[in-house]
Amino acid sequence: MDRIETRPLDAPPAVRGLNLFTRDRDLIRRLVRRSPDLLPRFGDRLAEFGAWVGDTVEAQADYTSRHAPPRLETHDGQGRSTSRVVLNAEYRACHAEAYCRGIIGLAFGSEVGGPGRAPHLLSFVMGGVLSQADVSLHCPVTLTGAVAWVLDRLAPDAVRADWLPQLARMDGQALTGGTWATELHGGTDVGATTTVAEPDGSAWRLTGLKWFTSNAGAGVALATARPRGAPDGARGLGCYLVPSALPDGTPNRLHVRRLKDKIGTRGLATGETVLDGAWALEVAPPPHGLKAMLEALEYSRVHNAFGAAGMHRRALLESLAWTSHRTVGGTLLRTTPMMRDALLDLAATQEAAAALAFEAAEAFEAPGEDPAVEGWRRGVVALAKYWTAEQATVAAARAVEIVGGNGYTEEWPTARLYRDALVTAVWEGPANVQALEFLRATIGKLPGDRAFLDRVSGILDAAPAALAGIAAQLRPTLDSCRAGFAHLRARPEDGPRLARKLLQPAAKLLAAALMLEEAVADLAAGDRRKALMADRFARRLDPVAGLDLAEDPLHAVFDDAIGYGVCPA
């Protein structure tokens, strides 16, 4: 890639057609700082990916959502049962193209003559770019990656050798994946799974109903099931690989009985899948089956965080496109103080969300099984999954409000963005689930609380004098979180009552600290833009702050700040 431009970006009247990677200077600068080898190896590929997403994928997403969503073909012309999920040609082409471009395969070293395995961070970054146009594509890509992740780490050698290459291939013929844990009784209580597994030679037969199977019709899926005779609860679960077709090419004994009629992600086929003695291979036997599925869910949660941050960014782009070309009473909207505040708030929270997602990705790939590493990984992934999703839904609603009546119509992308953003909050566990996961990572057997406090304290203590004011704004929240952890260590029975109350301030504190850390690096290079944005975000953490009547310094450098230019120190 070329050198990063320092002049502020303009805002064209429409987002479609933009390169959704190269225009994201905040992301590019973060990659330069925290993963310096990634851009030299994959920068050109990311730029090509961003151009494709901003044009071809965006056009497909609009067409699919409005005119050609998936449908279920239950019978053929002769009355025979088919249970075939029918996707339009544009969606199928974009879905296949995403794998050709390496969104999964590069992380598993599948490119012929390629540079070896890329970090999974590359897949997460590509997922975030993809979600700016179509989360209905990002979801099945995520599920495919989750299956590949589990097979690579946990599957028996023979299963891994036979099936991982089919998921990671980059020739247009990749199998796509699914993760089937949710049943009719709900998605959170996986330990109550009723699907039964019975041995069939070296394989298994699964019988049951999986209630939420996104990417319905996928080539292969991970499913939880309980072997006959296994104990009740989570320890009795195994994890199995269920292909849609048997090795001889004949259909497996499963069918989609109906597709869900959803609020959003209308381009994504989500169904109810009946397993009627479906042939399957064991990936992890009891009592390790739930752990294997949780590995898949953890991978998906990181993708969810990047996807949410990506949708948040799209909300910002749509808001900028509208306000930069709309005049009211002869005044350009983006020049009015209230609109500038709204745009700056969108930008600051998006940068905080993206930084938090990035932190989760790095923790997710951290090597080792040390309890401190695991506690930090699980804790920060839970924080990122929760908070980025919450902010994405707020940002999408704000974009509709900023655009106004047009933004409320399906002819405008903000309507689809708003509907689609809602999925990030419920996918792979809503806020209460993440709060309980954060609790397990921080005050149970894992010392995630210490890792959290050390990470934030380290950033605050390292702040130079010029940024000491931001650090001081964050310390009361840090002290509050420290007191909360100490209380829960002493009285863990209060966990269910306090988990959600701790989750939000911890997430916002970590996001603010990461913004501060970035500001330190940029200020050292002579740019105070991130410091100004970090200060704006940090001021939102004070729940008792009064009305701020002072002039906002960001308004004086608004074009540079909102256009990701440089604000000289």
Side-chain angles (χ1 to χ4, degrees):
M1 290 183 59
D2 296 335
R3 181 180 62 86
I4 299 172
E5 180 58 70
T6 58
R7 292 175 298 179
L9 288 162
D10 61 354
V15 175
R16 182 183 294 186
L18 297 182
N19 188 315
L20 294 178
F21 175 73
T22 59
R23 287 189 68 89
D24 193 346
R25 289 182 178 172
D26 185 62
L27 170 61
I28 292 171
R29 291 167 182 169
R30 188 170 296 110
L31 287 170
V32 169
R33 280 192 301 266
R34 299 190 63 170
S35 186
D37 294 338
L38 198 73
L39 286 180
R41 294 173 65 192
F42 302 105
D44 290 343
R45 186 184 292 271
L46 283 166
E48 293 170 0
F49 185 80
W52 172 69
V53 171
D55 188 7
T56 303
V57 173
E58 169 61 25
Q60 172 278 133
D62 178 63
Y63 169 71
T64 298
S65 179
R66 294 176 60 199
H67 305 297
R71 60 184 178 85
L72 182 63
E73 186 178 87
T74 58
H75 295 81
D76 64 15
Q78 298 182 359
R80 293 173 299 200
S81 177
T82 58
S83 184
R84 186 170 75 95
V85 176
V86 180
L87 306 168
N88 74 68
E90 292 184 21
Y91 181 93
R92 291 200 313 272
C94 283
H95 194 185
E97 181 70 14
Y99 300 109
C100 292
R101 291 179 177 271
I103 194 166
I104 298 302
L106 289 171
F108 295 96
S110 297
E111 185 179 31
V112 176
R117 287 196 174 205
H120 287 277
L121 174 64
L122 177 63
S123 178
F124 298 141
V125 168
M126 294 174 81
V129 174
L130 184 58
S131 276
Q132 292 186 48
D134 193 6
V135 74
S136 291
L137 275 182
H138 184 208
C139 177
V141 163
T142 295
L143 297 174
T144 302
V147 176
W149 170 265
V150 170
L151 294 185
D152 189 46
R153 289 172 57 87
L154 300 175
D157 291 343
V159 176
R160 181 189 307 111
D162 286 346
W163 293 94
L164 179 58
Q166 298 187 60
L167 291 159
R169 61 195 298 178
M170 296 171 56
D171 60 357
Q173 302 299 317
L175 286 181
T176 68
T179 53
W180 300 347
T182 301
E183 295 191 352
L184 187 57
H185 60 266
T188 302
D189 191 10
V190 180
T193 292
T194 61
T195 299
V196 174
E198 297 184 274
D200 181 15
S202 60
W204 292 77
R205 295 283 178 175
L206 270 55
T207 302
L209 170 65
K210 293 301 183 179
W211 184 245
F212 250 91
T213 56
S214 285
N215 197 23
V220 67
L222 291 176
T224 48
R226 193 182 313 279
R228 290 203 181 276
D232 293 338
R235 292 186 60 81
L237 295 181
C239 183
Y240 304 88
L241 190 71
V242 187
S244 60
L246 301 178
D248 64 5
T250 58
N252 203 352
R253 295 178 62 176
L254 56 88
H255 68 273
V256 179
R257 72 179 192 179
R258 67 169 179 162
L259 295 181
K260 302 288 191 182
D261 189 6
K262 299 171 296 180
I263 297 173
T265 59
R266 293 178 179 172
L268 172 67
T270 300
E272 299 166 10
T273 298
V274 177
L275 306 173
D276 186 18
W279 185 85
L281 296 169
E282 186 177 72
V283 173
H288 307 296
L290 181 58
K291 181 181 185 300
M293 184 59 77
L294 290 177
E295 284 279 345
L297 300 187
E298 193 89 336
Y299 175 96
S300 294
R301 285 169 179 168
V302 181
H303 258 296
N304 193 96
F306 274 80
M311 299 178 81
H312 193 151
R313 176 160 173 77
R314 179 61 184 270
L316 172 62
L317 290 176
E318 291 293 339
S319 300
L320 280 169
W322 178 259
T323 58
S324 297
H325 299 272
R326 178 73 166 177
T327 59
V328 176
T331 301
L332 194 65
L333 275 180
R334 69 176 276 161
T335 66
T336 64
M338 285 191 292
M339 191 58 74
R340 285 187 167 184
D341 278 334
L343 294 171
L344 288 167
D345 283 342
L346 275 173
T349 53
Q350 195 282 327
E351 292 174 38
L356 188 56
F358 206 99
E359 186 80 4
E362 289 197 337
F364 180 78
E365 287 197 83
E369 298 297 327
D370 182 89
V373 172
E374 184 182 356
W376 172 241
R377 173 177 60 82
R378 289 175 57 180
V380 71
V381 168
L383 291 177
K385 194 278 172 190
Y386 151 71
W387 193 75
T388 57
E390 181 181 81
Q391 295 307 304
T393 57
V394 171
R398 181 56 55 87
V400 171
E401 176 191 346
I402 286 172
V403 176
N406 284 345
Y408 192 65
T409 68
E410 291 295 339
E411 287 82 7
W412 214 263
T414 44
R416 184 181 80 245
L417 179 67
Y418 177 67
R419 289 187 286 99
D420 285 355
L422 298 173
V423 77
T424 62
V426 298
W427 186 15
E428 310 301 25
N432 285 353
V433 171
Q434 303 311 315
L436 293 174
E437 173 67 1
F438 185 60
L439 207 63
R440 287 188 288 268
T442 53
I443 64 146
K445 296 179 181 179
L446 299 174
D449 53 342
R450 176 48 51 196
F452 175 90
L453 295 171
D454 287 348
R455 179 74 172 109
V456 175
S457 296
I459 294 172
L460 270 55
D461 292 345
L467 299 175
I470 300 176
Q473 291 180 76
L474 302 184
R475 289 194 184 279
T477 306
L478 174 62
D479 293 340
S480 178
C481 288
R482 182 180 286 111
F485 287 133
H487 176 90
L488 290 172
R489 282 284 180 190
R491 298 189 58 181
E493 65 273 14
D494 286 347
R497 179 173 64 86
L498 298 177
R500 182 73 181 266
K501 295 180 180 180
L502 180 61
L503 183 72
Q504 185 177 65
K508 292 172 67 175
L509 173 63
L510 180 56
L514 294 170
M515 289 269 283
L516 173 59
E517 185 176 57
E518 294 178 348
V520 171
D522 284 1
L523 194 63
D527 182 7
R528 67 189 179 104
R529 178 195 174 278
K530 183 67 75 168
L532 293 169
M533 298 298 277
D535 179 67
R536 184 181 191 88
F537 183 75
R539 281 186 272 120
R540 297 179 59 184
L541 264 69
D542 186 353
V544 296
L547 178 64
D548 187 356
L549 300 177
E551 291 283 344
D552 189 334
L554 274 165
H555 282 235
V557 292
F558 177 80
D559 287 338
D560 284 310
I562 205 68
Y564 297 89
V566 170
C567 300

